[in-house]
Structures are given as structure tokens and as C-alpha cells.
Amino acid sequence: MTITEIFHSIQGEGPFQGHPTVFVRFTGCDLRCRWCDTAHAFHGGQSITREVLVERLAAFPCRRACLTGGEPLLQHELPELASALIQANWSLSLETGGHRPLAGLPPALTIVADVKCPGSGEGGSFLLENLAHLKRGDELKFVVADEADVDFALSFHASQPIPPGVRACISPAWGALDLPALARRIVDSGQDVVLGMQLHKIIWGAEAQGV
């Protein structure tokens, strides 16, 4: 497995926002979103075995971890790693671009799957069959960079068979939208959609890494 960094911080997004979390950022991504804030994970990284990675994580004073990237599902051993951590009593989440199959992941893994909006430059990459592999407690995330993205996110949420208990989150790209106006759009839509803010950027600033 190839990793860019491991760090212990506050979860800035998703269902476990605000919780102390150990992040494992994997190297490599096969998408190139225009607003990507983790381009440093596209290349390089350190090769590490699954067993050594589990041992390194055990040293942290925490039992909540997030597998992120890059794109974690490019790592062929990802399902086995997730199963090993869950068996070791970790509360585990996965952040993925939504364009790679979710089948075969352990049921106890919390999945946060992006649906790429047109403004990302990767619109249409989401695998609709992945909806069937989401469950209560998982999240569909829509990063929006303009009003057309908001239209797309609300339309997708209203028209697709999203399983019960799957949270839909509209998250503005940093500095891209008027936040009061976006909040009003969500309220006026009448849809059960969450406005997601990037807590880590609010705390440490937009350019900080490893936090």
C-alpha cells in the first residue's frame, strides 16, 4: 500500500465531524477535480505493508480512523485493511470519489462517497450502482463550486433511489459561494440535505496540510 501521510487531528467533514480521528491519506488519484485541495497526494508516497500500517495506527491514543486520499480504493488491499482495523475495534470511515465500485467493503465501514458535480470537471464519473451499496449512516457528498452545481446536487438527490438513512451533504468549495444564499437554497428546497462546512479549514486555514 502507498501512503502520503498519517496524522491525528479533528475530523473536519462527514458524519463524524468534530471527532478526534487518525487519518491515513493514500497516494494516487485517477480524477483531477478543479477544486482539489489534496493534489500533494497525487504522486510519491511511502510503500508500507498492511500489517505494519495496522501496527503504526495502534500507537495513537484514538480508535477512530479515516481512510482518505487521493483515492483509497486504488489500493488493492483496502478491503482487507478495513476488515483488519474493524476487527481491532476501530471505528472506521472511508472517503472516496464515488467512481470506483463499493462492492466487497465490510458492512461496518462508514462510507463517504462523492458525487462529482459539473463544476469539478469530473461530472458523470459517479457509479450509480454504488447507491445500492450505501447504507444507513453513510454519506453522499456534493462539493459545489457554483449555482449550476447546487442545481445538479438538489436534482440528483430528488431523483435518485438513495437508500434510507444515507445522509446527503452539500459542501461548498472553499470560498466559492455566498454561504447565506446557499443555506437559503437548501432550506427553500424542502429536501433533507445537510450543509457541510470544512471544519479543519475554519480552524487552521485553507492551506494547512496534515491537520
Side-chain angles (χ1 to χ4, degrees), residues 1 6 54 72 77-78 81 94 100 105 111 151-152 173 180 192:
M1 311 187 83
I6 301 174
V54 171
E77 292 184 87
L78 194 284
L81 172 66
L94 167 75
R100 302 190 69 82
L105 295 172
I111 297 170
D151 292 339
F152 169 84
D192 187 15

Side-chain angles (χ1 to χ4, degrees), residues 44-57:
Q46 172 192 3
S47 180
I48 188 172
T49 66
R50 184 174 77 245
E51 294 77 13
V52 170
L53 180 53
V54 171
E55 288 179 4
R56 286 183 62 180
L57 293 181

Side-chain angles (χ1 to χ4, degrees), residues 115-137:
V115 179
K116 302 300 184 184
C117 298
S120 70
E122 296 287 359
S125 60
F126 182 77
L127 295 180
L128 288 176
E129 55 264 37
N130 278 341
L131 292 175
H133 297 286
L134 297 176
K135 61 195 178 302
R136 184 171 298 277

